[in-house]
């Protein structure tokens, strides 16, 4: 300091270092959200996202811990020894049910949620008034859980809608027999992906990663187990315009439509627009397959086929959030016939064909369908 007058010291301002040392001052997810909110004071949803992301990241840390210790703590295998089935008719694993409770409770107590819809819940849940807010959360608490017993990557997928922009009533409900609360609940939930204010996934693999977007690009955070915080490791993620990897379950190819069969064959033999022969990579865990596609480029698909004309993925909490992320990263997502983000849901657990990835790869398929 500089001495001034009798014994008094004037405080000298020290310039902030040009480059922040990530060891002593890592960019945590919490700090990232605070800074984003400060930069965009006019965007109310970013202020609210601070609370929501704090709740979601806590839930993901807890689920990551449960997944990592599943084999030790006897959490692998089926709920109730088998026979417990969710609304889609899928047998529930112990971890599906536990992960659902963890995420639902974390979101409920954020004070920002009005409605919560999950793959593991038959109907959307209205949050108690004490904790109620203005957002709708849709999520798949543990995607790829059939891979848990083999210790393959799994993940949590989430999407956040603003409750204000309500869609149409589901066709399979009779409005005359529904309570006001149920109607509010359902209309808030059935919104197209274009209404999402945020979406993301948390992947539980060799490391735990949180990848999300609030509509201004995609950022990836890796959980540092030493300090228990998500650290920014993949800022402003961009998917390459074209890749060299295709990712489909080819066991179903005999039941695909001829256009898709022709498209995949062209990727294999190099007669596609890039003139390159593609490699095949398919994990069978949506979060892991989409994560690889965002990083390396290429195309991922779970299309409709003769047996399942609408594919198997759910529009609200799988297709829409993943399409939002891929588009934010500069890619594209289609059903083959239309942009996924524009599809208006008519049921909470509605299924939809999904093909997403590098823009040029996806556009090549869309052009073939139009021809």
């Amino acid at each position: 300091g500089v001495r001034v007058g009798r014994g008094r010291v004037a405080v000298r301002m020290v310039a902030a270092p040009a480059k922040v040392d990530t060891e002593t001052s890592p960019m945590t997810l919490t700090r990232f959200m605070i800074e984003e909110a400060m930069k965009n004071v006019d965007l109310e949803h970013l202020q609210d996202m601070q609370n929501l992301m704090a709740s979601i990241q806590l839930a993901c840390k807890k689920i990551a811990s449960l997944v990592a210790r599943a084999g030790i703590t006897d959490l692998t295998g089926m709920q109730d020894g088998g026979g417990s089935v969710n609304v889609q008719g899928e047998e529930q694993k112990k971890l599906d049910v536990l992960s659902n409770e963890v995420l639902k409770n974390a979101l409920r107590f954020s004070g920002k949620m009005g409605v919560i819809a999950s793959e593991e819940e038959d109907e959307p849940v209205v949050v108690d008034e004490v904790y109620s807010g203005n957002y709708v959360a849709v999520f798949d608490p543990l995607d790829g859980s059939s891979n848990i017993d083999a210790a393959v990557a799994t993940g949590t997928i989430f999407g956040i809608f603003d409750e204000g922009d309500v869609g149409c009533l589901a066709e399979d409900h009779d409005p005359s027999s529904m309570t006001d609360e149920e109607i509010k609940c359902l209309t808030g939930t059935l919104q197209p992906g274009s209404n999402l204010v945020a979406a993301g996934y948390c992947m539980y693999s060799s490391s735990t990663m949180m990848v999300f977007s609030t509509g201004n690009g995609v950022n990836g955070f890796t959980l540092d187990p030493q300090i228990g915080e998500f650290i920014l490791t993949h800022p402003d993620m961009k998917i390459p315009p074209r890749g060299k990897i295709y990712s489909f379950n080819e066991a179903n190819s005999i039941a695909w439509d001829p256009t898709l069969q022709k498209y995949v064959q062209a990727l294999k033999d190099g007669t596609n627009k890039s003139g390159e022969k593609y490699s095949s990579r398919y994990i069978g865990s949506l979060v892991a397959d989409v994560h690889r596609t965002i990083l390396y480029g290429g195309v991922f698909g779970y299309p409709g086929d003769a047996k399942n004309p609408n594919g198997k993925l759910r529009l609200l909490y799988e297709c829409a959030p993943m399409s939002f992320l891929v588009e934010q990263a500069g890619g594209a997502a289609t059903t083959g016939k239309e942009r996924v983000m524009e599809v208006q849901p008519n049921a909470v657990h509605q299924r939809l064909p999904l093909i997403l990835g590098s823009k040029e790869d996806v556009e090549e398929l869309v052009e073939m369908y139009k021809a």
Side-chain angles (χ1 to χ4, degrees), residues 207-242:
S207 59
T208 297
M209 276 203 73
M210 168 87 75
V211 175
F212 78 101
S213 172
T214 54
N216 186 28
V218 180
N219 290 283
F221 297 77
T222 304
L223 183 62
D224 182 343
Q226 291 189 317
I227 59 171
E229 288 282 357
F230 281 103
I231 308 297
L232 181 62
T233 50
H234 294 64
D236 196 21
M237 295 168 76
K238 290 279 181 239
I239 187 166
R242 196 177 260 281

PDB file of all heavy atoms in Angstrom, residues 207-242:
ATOM      1  N   SER A 207     -16.267 -40.993 -16.237  1.00  0.00           N
ATOM      2  CA  SER A 207     -16.426 -39.793 -15.407  1.00  0.00           C
ATOM      3  C   SER A 207     -17.899 -39.418 -15.468  1.00  0.00           C
ATOM      4  O   SER A 207     -18.634 -39.906 -16.328  1.00  0.00           O
ATOM      5  CB  SER A 207     -15.548 -38.644 -15.924  1.00  0.00           C
ATOM      6  OG  SER A 207     -15.889 -38.336 -17.257  1.00  0.00           O
ATOM      7  N   THR A 208     -18.336 -38.575 -14.544  1.00  0.00           N
ATOM      8  CA  THR A 208     -19.729 -38.108 -14.551  1.00  0.00           C
ATOM      9  C   THR A 208     -19.742 -36.740 -15.209  1.00  0.00           C
ATOM     10  O   THR A 208     -19.041 -35.827 -14.761  1.00  0.00           O
ATOM     11  CB  THR A 208     -20.288 -38.033 -13.124  1.00  0.00           C
ATOM     12  OG1 THR A 208     -20.306 -39.354 -12.575  1.00  0.00           O
ATOM     13  CG2 THR A 208     -21.706 -37.473 -13.110  1.00  0.00           C
ATOM     14  N   MET A 209     -20.521 -36.609 -16.288  1.00  0.00           N
ATOM     15  CA  MET A 209     -20.568 -35.338 -17.019  1.00  0.00           C
ATOM     16  C   MET A 209     -21.966 -34.755 -17.071  1.00  0.00           C
ATOM     17  O   MET A 209     -22.932 -35.491 -17.265  1.00  0.00           O
ATOM     18  CB  MET A 209     -20.060 -35.533 -18.447  1.00  0.00           C
ATOM     19  CG  MET A 209     -18.553 -35.467 -18.576  1.00  0.00           C
ATOM     20  SD  MET A 209     -18.080 -35.023 -20.264  1.00  0.00           S
ATOM     21  CE  MET A 209     -18.511 -33.278 -20.341  1.00  0.00           C
ATOM     22  N   MET A 210     -22.058 -33.446 -16.895  1.00  0.00           N
ATOM     23  CA  MET A 210     -23.318 -32.713 -17.046  1.00  0.00           C
ATOM     24  C   MET A 210     -23.180 -31.830 -18.285  1.00  0.00           C
ATOM     25  O   MET A 210     -22.276 -30.995 -18.361  1.00  0.00           O
ATOM     26  CB  MET A 210     -23.560 -31.841 -15.810  1.00  0.00           C
ATOM     27  CG  MET A 210     -24.675 -30.834 -15.985  1.00  0.00           C
ATOM     28  SD  MET A 210     -26.284 -31.479 -15.580  1.00  0.00           S
ATOM     29  CE  MET A 210     -26.212 -31.498 -13.800  1.00  0.00           C
ATOM     30  N   VAL A 211     -24.050 -32.052 -19.260  1.00  0.00           N
ATOM     31  CA  VAL A 211     -24.043 -31.254 -20.492  1.00  0.00           C
ATOM     32  C   VAL A 211     -25.414 -30.596 -20.605  1.00  0.00           C
ATOM     33  O   VAL A 211     -26.432 -31.286 -20.557  1.00  0.00           O
ATOM     34  CB  VAL A 211     -23.767 -32.153 -21.722  1.00  0.00           C
ATOM     35  CG1 VAL A 211     -23.878 -31.356 -23.013  1.00  0.00           C
ATOM     36  CG2 VAL A 211     -22.388 -32.804 -21.606  1.00  0.00           C
ATOM     37  N   PHE A 212     -25.452 -29.272 -20.715  1.00  0.00           N
ATOM     38  CA  PHE A 212     -26.768 -28.627 -20.777  1.00  0.00           C
ATOM     39  C   PHE A 212     -26.707 -27.296 -21.520  1.00  0.00           C
ATOM     40  O   PHE A 212     -25.636 -26.767 -21.811  1.00  0.00           O
ATOM     41  CB  PHE A 212     -27.342 -28.439 -19.368  1.00  0.00           C
ATOM     42  CG  PHE A 212     -26.762 -27.277 -18.610  1.00  0.00           C
ATOM     43  CD1 PHE A 212     -27.459 -26.079 -18.513  1.00  0.00           C
ATOM     44  CD2 PHE A 212     -25.531 -27.372 -17.989  1.00  0.00           C
ATOM     45  CE1 PHE A 212     -26.929 -25.003 -17.824  1.00  0.00           C
ATOM     46  CE2 PHE A 212     -24.986 -26.305 -17.290  1.00  0.00           C
ATOM     47  CZ  PHE A 212     -25.694 -25.114 -17.216  1.00  0.00           C
ATOM     48  N   SER A 213     -27.907 -26.791 -21.804  1.00  0.00           N
ATOM     49  CA  SER A 213     -28.037 -25.512 -22.498  1.00  0.00           C
ATOM     50  C   SER A 213     -29.245 -24.762 -21.959  1.00  0.00           C
ATOM     51  O   SER A 213     -30.271 -25.366 -21.645  1.00  0.00           O
ATOM     52  CB  SER A 213     -28.224 -25.746 -24.002  1.00  0.00           C
ATOM     53  OG  SER A 213     -28.527 -24.522 -24.650  1.00  0.00           O
ATOM     54  N   THR A 214     -29.102 -23.445 -21.854  1.00  0.00           N
ATOM     55  CA  THR A 214     -30.257 -22.605 -21.499  1.00  0.00           C
ATOM     56  C   THR A 214     -30.671 -21.779 -22.718  1.00  0.00           C
ATOM     57  O   THR A 214     -31.262 -20.716 -22.592  1.00  0.00           O
ATOM     58  CB  THR A 214     -29.923 -21.658 -20.310  1.00  0.00           C
ATOM     59  OG1 THR A 214     -28.734 -20.917 -20.638  1.00  0.00           O
ATOM     60  CG2 THR A 214     -29.704 -22.434 -19.027  1.00  0.00           C
ATOM     61  N   GLY A 215     -30.325 -22.294 -23.905  1.00  0.00           N
ATOM     62  CA  GLY A 215     -30.717 -21.609 -25.137  1.00  0.00           C
ATOM     63  C   GLY A 215     -29.641 -20.700 -25.690  1.00  0.00           C
ATOM     64  O   GLY A 215     -29.879 -19.914 -26.598  1.00  0.00           O
ATOM     65  N   ASN A 216     -28.433 -20.784 -25.124  1.00  0.00           N
ATOM     66  CA  ASN A 216     -27.335 -19.940 -25.588  1.00  0.00           C
ATOM     67  C   ASN A 216     -26.061 -20.781 -25.713  1.00  0.00           C
ATOM     68  O   ASN A 216     -25.070 -20.545 -25.038  1.00  0.00           O
ATOM     69  CB  ASN A 216     -27.129 -18.770 -24.602  1.00  0.00           C
ATOM     70  CG  ASN A 216     -26.094 -17.779 -25.097  1.00  0.00           C
ATOM     71  OD1 ASN A 216     -25.900 -17.634 -26.294  1.00  0.00           O
ATOM     72  ND2 ASN A 216     -25.404 -17.122 -24.182  1.00  0.00           N
ATOM     73  N   GLY A 217     -26.126 -21.824 -26.551  1.00  0.00           N
ATOM     74  CA  GLY A 217     -24.983 -22.721 -26.716  1.00  0.00           C
ATOM     75  C   GLY A 217     -24.994 -23.838 -25.681  1.00  0.00           C
ATOM     76  O   GLY A 217     -25.814 -23.854 -24.764  1.00  0.00           O
ATOM     77  N   VAL A 218     -24.072 -24.786 -25.847  1.00  0.00           N
ATOM     78  CA  VAL A 218     -24.008 -25.978 -24.989  1.00  0.00           C
ATOM     79  C   VAL A 218     -22.688 -25.991 -24.227  1.00  0.00           C
ATOM     80  O   VAL A 218     -21.632 -25.730 -24.809  1.00  0.00           O
ATOM     81  CB  VAL A 218     -24.120 -27.267 -25.848  1.00  0.00           C
ATOM     82  CG1 VAL A 218     -24.052 -28.509 -24.974  1.00  0.00           C
ATOM     83  CG2 VAL A 218     -25.410 -27.256 -26.661  1.00  0.00           C
ATOM     84  N   ASN A 219     -22.756 -26.285 -22.933  1.00  0.00           N
ATOM     85  CA  ASN A 219     -21.544 -26.369 -22.115  1.00  0.00           C
ATOM     86  C   ASN A 219     -21.514 -27.693 -21.371  1.00  0.00           C
ATOM     87  O   ASN A 219     -22.547 -28.195 -20.932  1.00  0.00           O
ATOM     88  CB  ASN A 219     -21.488 -25.206 -21.121  1.00  0.00           C
ATOM     89  CG  ASN A 219     -21.242 -23.877 -21.819  1.00  0.00           C
ATOM     90  OD1 ASN A 219     -20.132 -23.565 -22.216  1.00  0.00           O
ATOM     91  ND2 ASN A 219     -22.296 -23.091 -22.015  1.00  0.00           N
ATOM     92  N   GLY A 220     -20.307 -28.245 -21.230  1.00  0.00           N
ATOM     93  CA  GLY A 220     -20.135 -29.529 -20.556  1.00  0.00           C
ATOM     94  C   GLY A 220     -19.299 -29.394 -19.297  1.00  0.00           C
ATOM     95  O   GLY A 220     -18.264 -28.713 -19.300  1.00  0.00           O
ATOM     96  N   PHE A 221     -19.756 -30.019 -18.223  1.00  0.00           N
ATOM     97  CA  PHE A 221     -19.082 -29.967 -16.921  1.00  0.00           C
ATOM     98  C   PHE A 221     -18.767 -31.390 -16.465  1.00  0.00           C
ATOM     99  O   PHE A 221     -19.584 -32.284 -16.629  1.00  0.00           O
ATOM    100  CB  PHE A 221     -19.989 -29.298 -15.879  1.00  0.00           C
ATOM    101  CG  PHE A 221     -20.329 -27.866 -16.186  1.00  0.00           C
ATOM    102  CD1 PHE A 221     -21.276 -27.543 -17.158  1.00  0.00           C
ATOM    103  CD2 PHE A 221     -19.700 -26.825 -15.517  1.00  0.00           C
ATOM    104  CE1 PHE A 221     -21.581 -26.224 -17.457  1.00  0.00           C
ATOM    105  CE2 PHE A 221     -19.998 -25.497 -15.807  1.00  0.00           C
ATOM    106  CZ  PHE A 221     -20.941 -25.199 -16.782  1.00  0.00           C
ATOM    107  N   THR A 222     -17.586 -31.574 -15.901  1.00  0.00           N
ATOM    108  CA  THR A 222     -17.182 -32.893 -15.407  1.00  0.00           C
ATOM    109  C   THR A 222     -17.133 -32.858 -13.886  1.00  0.00           C
ATOM    110  O   THR A 222     -16.605 -31.896 -13.298  1.00  0.00           O
ATOM    111  CB  THR A 222     -15.794 -33.276 -15.966  1.00  0.00           C
ATOM    112  OG1 THR A 222     -15.852 -33.223 -17.394  1.00  0.00           O
ATOM    113  CG2 THR A 222     -15.400 -34.682 -15.530  1.00  0.00           C
ATOM    114  N   LEU A 223     -17.694 -33.879 -13.262  1.00  0.00           N
ATOM    115  CA  LEU A 223     -17.714 -33.946 -11.798  1.00  0.00           C
ATOM    116  C   LEU A 223     -16.309 -34.273 -11.290  1.00  0.00           C
ATOM    117  O   LEU A 223     -15.736 -35.295 -11.642  1.00  0.00           O
ATOM    118  CB  LEU A 223     -18.712 -35.004 -11.325  1.00  0.00           C
ATOM    119  CG  LEU A 223     -18.897 -35.146  -9.814  1.00  0.00           C
ATOM    120  CD1 LEU A 223     -19.439 -33.867  -9.183  1.00  0.00           C
ATOM    121  CD2 LEU A 223     -19.811 -36.322  -9.486  1.00  0.00           C
ATOM    122  N   ASP A 224     -15.767 -33.371 -10.465  1.00  0.00           N
ATOM    123  CA  ASP A 224     -14.479 -33.620  -9.812  1.00  0.00           C
ATOM    124  C   ASP A 224     -14.776 -34.306  -8.487  1.00  0.00           C
ATOM    125  O   ASP A 224     -15.263 -33.671  -7.550  1.00  0.00           O
ATOM    126  CB  ASP A 224     -13.746 -32.293  -9.576  1.00  0.00           C
ATOM    127  CG  ASP A 224     -12.369 -32.493  -8.929  1.00  0.00           C
ATOM    128  OD1 ASP A 224     -12.124 -33.587  -8.386  1.00  0.00           O
ATOM    129  OD2 ASP A 224     -11.562 -31.550  -8.962  1.00  0.00           O
ATOM    130  N   PRO A 225     -14.497 -35.618  -8.377  1.00  0.00           N
ATOM    131  CA  PRO A 225     -14.876 -36.336  -7.165  1.00  0.00           C
ATOM    132  C   PRO A 225     -14.106 -35.875  -5.919  1.00  0.00           C
ATOM    133  O   PRO A 225     -14.554 -36.063  -4.803  1.00  0.00           O
ATOM    134  CB  PRO A 225     -14.560 -37.800  -7.483  1.00  0.00           C
ATOM    135  CG  PRO A 225     -13.647 -37.777  -8.658  1.00  0.00           C
ATOM    136  CD  PRO A 225     -13.845 -36.478  -9.363  1.00  0.00           C
ATOM    137  N   GLN A 226     -12.954 -35.217  -6.129  1.00  0.00           N
ATOM    138  CA  GLN A 226     -12.171 -34.767  -4.982  1.00  0.00           C
ATOM    139  C   GLN A 226     -12.832 -33.613  -4.247  1.00  0.00           C
ATOM    140  O   GLN A 226     -12.726 -33.507  -3.029  1.00  0.00           O
ATOM    141  CB  GLN A 226     -10.763 -34.368  -5.422  1.00  0.00           C
ATOM    142  CG  GLN A 226      -9.927 -35.576  -5.880  1.00  0.00           C
ATOM    143  CD  GLN A 226      -8.481 -35.205  -6.115  1.00  0.00           C
ATOM    144  OE1 GLN A 226      -8.190 -34.165  -6.706  1.00  0.00           O
ATOM    145  NE2 GLN A 226      -7.576 -36.054  -5.662  1.00  0.00           N
ATOM    146  N   ILE A 227     -13.514 -32.738  -5.007  1.00  0.00           N
ATOM    147  CA  ILE A 227     -14.177 -31.602  -4.341  1.00  0.00           C
ATOM    148  C   ILE A 227     -15.700 -31.664  -4.450  1.00  0.00           C
ATOM    149  O   ILE A 227     -16.404 -30.827  -3.897  1.00  0.00           O
ATOM    150  CB  ILE A 227     -13.662 -30.232  -4.877  1.00  0.00           C
ATOM    151  CG1 ILE A 227     -13.900 -30.104  -6.393  1.00  0.00           C
ATOM    152  CG2 ILE A 227     -12.197 -30.042  -4.541  1.00  0.00           C
ATOM    153  CD1 ILE A 227     -13.626 -28.719  -6.942  1.00  0.00           C
ATOM    154  N   GLY A 228     -16.197 -32.678  -5.178  1.00  0.00           N
ATOM    155  CA  GLY A 228     -17.652 -32.854  -5.281  1.00  0.00           C
ATOM    156  C   GLY A 228     -18.353 -31.768  -6.063  1.00  0.00           C
ATOM    157  O   GLY A 228     -19.513 -31.456  -5.815  1.00  0.00           O
ATOM    158  N   GLU A 229     -17.645 -31.171  -7.025  1.00  0.00           N
ATOM    159  CA  GLU A 229     -18.238 -30.094  -7.831  1.00  0.00           C
ATOM    160  C   GLU A 229     -18.122 -30.411  -9.322  1.00  0.00           C
ATOM    161  O   GLU A 229     -17.145 -31.021  -9.769  1.00  0.00           O
ATOM    162  CB  GLU A 229     -17.510 -28.764  -7.563  1.00  0.00           C
ATOM    163  CG  GLU A 229     -17.781 -28.156  -6.206  1.00  0.00           C
ATOM    164  CD  GLU A 229     -19.122 -27.449  -6.115  1.00  0.00           C
ATOM    165  OE1 GLU A 229     -19.842 -27.377  -7.132  1.00  0.00           O
ATOM    166  OE2 GLU A 229     -19.450 -26.974  -5.017  1.00  0.00           O
ATOM    167  N   PHE A 230     -19.116 -29.938 -10.095  1.00  0.00           N
ATOM    168  CA  PHE A 230     -19.034 -30.012 -11.551  1.00  0.00           C
ATOM    169  C   PHE A 230     -18.167 -28.852 -12.046  1.00  0.00           C
ATOM    170  O   PHE A 230     -18.431 -27.693 -11.718  1.00  0.00           O
ATOM    171  CB  PHE A 230     -20.430 -29.912 -12.180  1.00  0.00           C
ATOM    172  CG  PHE A 230     -21.211 -31.199 -12.133  1.00  0.00           C
ATOM    173  CD1 PHE A 230     -22.227 -31.388 -11.209  1.00  0.00           C
ATOM    174  CD2 PHE A 230     -20.917 -32.226 -13.024  1.00  0.00           C
ATOM    175  CE1 PHE A 230     -22.946 -32.576 -11.169  1.00  0.00           C
ATOM    176  CE2 PHE A 230     -21.634 -33.415 -12.997  1.00  0.00           C
ATOM    177  CZ  PHE A 230     -22.642 -33.601 -12.062  1.00  0.00           C
ATOM    178  N   ILE A 231     -17.123 -29.162 -12.835  1.00  0.00           N
ATOM    179  CA  ILE A 231     -16.177 -28.155 -13.334  1.00  0.00           C
ATOM    180  C   ILE A 231     -16.333 -28.031 -14.847  1.00  0.00           C
ATOM    181  O   ILE A 231     -16.443 -29.035 -15.557  1.00  0.00           O
ATOM    182  CB  ILE A 231     -14.715 -28.569 -13.016  1.00  0.00           C
ATOM    183  CG1 ILE A 231     -14.543 -28.901 -11.520  1.00  0.00           C
ATOM    184  CG2 ILE A 231     -13.729 -27.484 -13.456  1.00  0.00           C
ATOM    185  CD1 ILE A 231     -14.782 -27.759 -10.578  1.00  0.00           C
ATOM    186  N   LEU A 232     -16.324 -26.795 -15.355  1.00  0.00           N
ATOM    187  CA  LEU A 232     -16.452 -26.553 -16.798  1.00  0.00           C
ATOM    188  C   LEU A 232     -15.233 -27.120 -17.530  1.00  0.00           C
ATOM    189  O   LEU A 232     -14.118 -26.637 -17.362  1.00  0.00           O
ATOM    190  CB  LEU A 232     -16.581 -25.045 -17.073  1.00  0.00           C
ATOM    191  CG  LEU A 232     -16.738 -24.628 -18.543  1.00  0.00           C
ATOM    192  CD1 LEU A 232     -18.011 -25.198 -19.147  1.00  0.00           C
ATOM    193  CD2 LEU A 232     -16.729 -23.107 -18.675  1.00  0.00           C
ATOM    194  N   THR A 233     -15.436 -28.155 -18.325  1.00  0.00           N
ATOM    195  CA  THR A 233     -14.345 -28.785 -19.073  1.00  0.00           C
ATOM    196  C   THR A 233     -14.570 -28.714 -20.580  1.00  0.00           C
ATOM    197  O   THR A 233     -13.637 -28.851 -21.354  1.00  0.00           O
ATOM    198  CB  THR A 233     -14.202 -30.286 -18.679  1.00  0.00           C
ATOM    199  OG1 THR A 233     -15.494 -30.902 -18.764  1.00  0.00           O
ATOM    200  CG2 THR A 233     -13.666 -30.435 -17.260  1.00  0.00           C
ATOM    201  N   HIS A 234     -15.829 -28.515 -20.992  1.00  0.00           N
ATOM    202  CA  HIS A 234     -16.162 -28.474 -22.417  1.00  0.00           C
ATOM    203  C   HIS A 234     -16.988 -27.217 -22.713  1.00  0.00           C
ATOM    204  O   HIS A 234     -18.200 -27.286 -22.876  1.00  0.00           O
ATOM    205  CB  HIS A 234     -16.968 -29.713 -22.823  1.00  0.00           C
ATOM    206  CG  HIS A 234     -16.214 -31.003 -22.720  1.00  0.00           C
ATOM    207  ND1 HIS A 234     -15.749 -31.499 -21.524  1.00  0.00           N
ATOM    208  CD2 HIS A 234     -15.841 -31.900 -23.677  1.00  0.00           C
ATOM    209  CE1 HIS A 234     -15.127 -32.657 -21.750  1.00  0.00           C
ATOM    210  NE2 HIS A 234     -15.175 -32.912 -23.035  1.00  0.00           N
ATOM    211  N   PRO A 235     -16.341 -26.031 -22.750  1.00  0.00           N
ATOM    212  CA  PRO A 235     -17.113 -24.804 -23.016  1.00  0.00           C
ATOM    213  C   PRO A 235     -17.557 -24.729 -24.472  1.00  0.00           C
ATOM    214  O   PRO A 235     -16.830 -25.169 -25.374  1.00  0.00           O
ATOM    215  CB  PRO A 235     -16.116 -23.682 -22.690  1.00  0.00           C
ATOM    216  CG  PRO A 235     -14.765 -24.305 -22.792  1.00  0.00           C
ATOM    217  CD  PRO A 235     -14.914 -25.775 -22.528  1.00  0.00           C
ATOM    218  N   ASP A 236     -18.762 -24.214 -24.683  1.00  0.00           N
ATOM    219  CA  ASP A 236     -19.302 -23.939 -26.021  1.00  0.00           C
ATOM    220  C   ASP A 236     -19.086 -25.116 -26.982  1.00  0.00           C
ATOM    221  O   ASP A 236     -18.388 -25.003 -27.982  1.00  0.00           O
ATOM    222  CB  ASP A 236     -18.674 -22.656 -26.585  1.00  0.00           C
ATOM    223  CG  ASP A 236     -19.464 -22.116 -27.778  1.00  0.00           C
ATOM    224  OD1 ASP A 236     -20.652 -22.472 -27.902  1.00  0.00           O
ATOM    225  OD2 ASP A 236     -18.894 -21.367 -28.589  1.00  0.00           O
ATOM    226  N   MET A 237     -19.711 -26.230 -26.663  1.00  0.00           N
ATOM    227  CA  MET A 237     -19.554 -27.450 -27.474  1.00  0.00           C
ATOM    228  C   MET A 237     -20.201 -27.282 -28.850  1.00  0.00           C
ATOM    229  O   MET A 237     -21.318 -26.779 -28.944  1.00  0.00           O
ATOM    230  CB  MET A 237     -20.189 -28.640 -26.747  1.00  0.00           C
ATOM    231  CG  MET A 237     -19.478 -28.991 -25.453  1.00  0.00           C
ATOM    232  SD  MET A 237     -20.417 -30.160 -24.424  1.00  0.00           S
ATOM    233  CE  MET A 237     -20.133 -31.700 -25.287  1.00  0.00           C
ATOM    234  N   LYS A 238     -19.473 -27.677 -29.888  1.00  0.00           N
ATOM    235  CA  LYS A 238     -19.996 -27.583 -31.255  1.00  0.00           C
ATOM    236  C   LYS A 238     -19.843 -28.936 -31.946  1.00  0.00           C
ATOM    237  O   LYS A 238     -18.769 -29.530 -31.932  1.00  0.00           O
ATOM    238  CB  LYS A 238     -19.203 -26.525 -32.052  1.00  0.00           C
ATOM    239  CG  LYS A 238     -19.478 -25.095 -31.591  1.00  0.00           C
ATOM    240  CD  LYS A 238     -20.756 -24.564 -32.182  1.00  0.00           C
ATOM    241  CE  LYS A 238     -21.045 -23.136 -31.759  1.00  0.00           C
ATOM    242  NZ  LYS A 238     -22.317 -23.004 -31.054  1.00  0.00           N
ATOM    243  N   ILE A 239     -20.912 -29.388 -32.565  1.00  0.00           N
ATOM    244  CA  ILE A 239     -20.867 -30.661 -33.285  1.00  0.00           C
ATOM    245  C   ILE A 239     -20.270 -30.404 -34.678  1.00  0.00           C
ATOM    246  O   ILE A 239     -20.630 -29.421 -35.332  1.00  0.00           O
ATOM    247  CB  ILE A 239     -22.294 -31.273 -33.366  1.00  0.00           C
ATOM    248  CG1 ILE A 239     -22.253 -32.674 -33.949  1.00  0.00           C
ATOM    249  CG2 ILE A 239     -23.255 -30.402 -34.119  1.00  0.00           C
ATOM    250  CD1 ILE A 239     -23.562 -33.447 -33.749  1.00  0.00           C
ATOM    251  N   PRO A 240     -19.320 -31.229 -35.144  1.00  0.00           N
ATOM    252  CA  PRO A 240     -18.764 -31.008 -36.483  1.00  0.00           C
ATOM    253  C   PRO A 240     -19.872 -31.034 -37.542  1.00  0.00           C
ATOM    254  O   PRO A 240     -20.860 -31.757 -37.390  1.00  0.00           O
ATOM    255  CB  PRO A 240     -17.809 -32.194 -36.674  1.00  0.00           C
ATOM    256  CG  PRO A 240     -17.494 -32.670 -35.287  1.00  0.00           C
ATOM    257  CD  PRO A 240     -18.721 -32.396 -34.472  1.00  0.00           C
ATOM    258  N   PRO A 241     -19.720 -30.252 -38.643  1.00  0.00           N
ATOM    259  CA  PRO A 241     -20.776 -30.194 -39.671  1.00  0.00           C
ATOM    260  C   PRO A 241     -21.043 -31.547 -40.314  1.00  0.00           C
ATOM    261  O   PRO A 241     -22.144 -31.839 -40.749  1.00  0.00           O
ATOM    262  CB  PRO A 241     -20.242 -29.208 -40.711  1.00  0.00           C
ATOM    263  CG  PRO A 241     -18.971 -28.656 -40.186  1.00  0.00           C
ATOM    264  CD  PRO A 241     -18.599 -29.342 -38.925  1.00  0.00           C
ATOM    265  N   ARG A 242     -19.992 -32.398 -40.364  1.00  0.00           N
ATOM    266  CA  ARG A 242     -20.159 -33.758 -40.878  1.00  0.00           C
ATOM    267  C   ARG A 242     -19.214 -34.672 -40.107  1.00  0.00           C
ATOM    268  O   ARG A 242     -18.140 -34.257 -39.700  1.00  0.00           O
ATOM    269  CB  ARG A 242     -19.834 -33.815 -42.381  1.00  0.00           C
ATOM    270  CG  ARG A 242     -20.359 -35.089 -43.043  1.00  0.00           C
ATOM    271  CD  ARG A 242     -20.089 -35.095 -44.532  1.00  0.00           C
ATOM    272  NE  ARG A 242     -21.227 -34.719 -45.366  1.00  0.00           N
ATOM    273  CZ  ARG A 242     -22.239 -35.522 -45.681  1.00  0.00           C
ATOM    274  NH1 ARG A 242     -22.303 -36.737 -45.212  1.00  0.00           N
ATOM    275  NH2 ARG A 242     -23.206 -35.110 -46.474  1.00  0.00           N
TER     276      ARG A 242
END
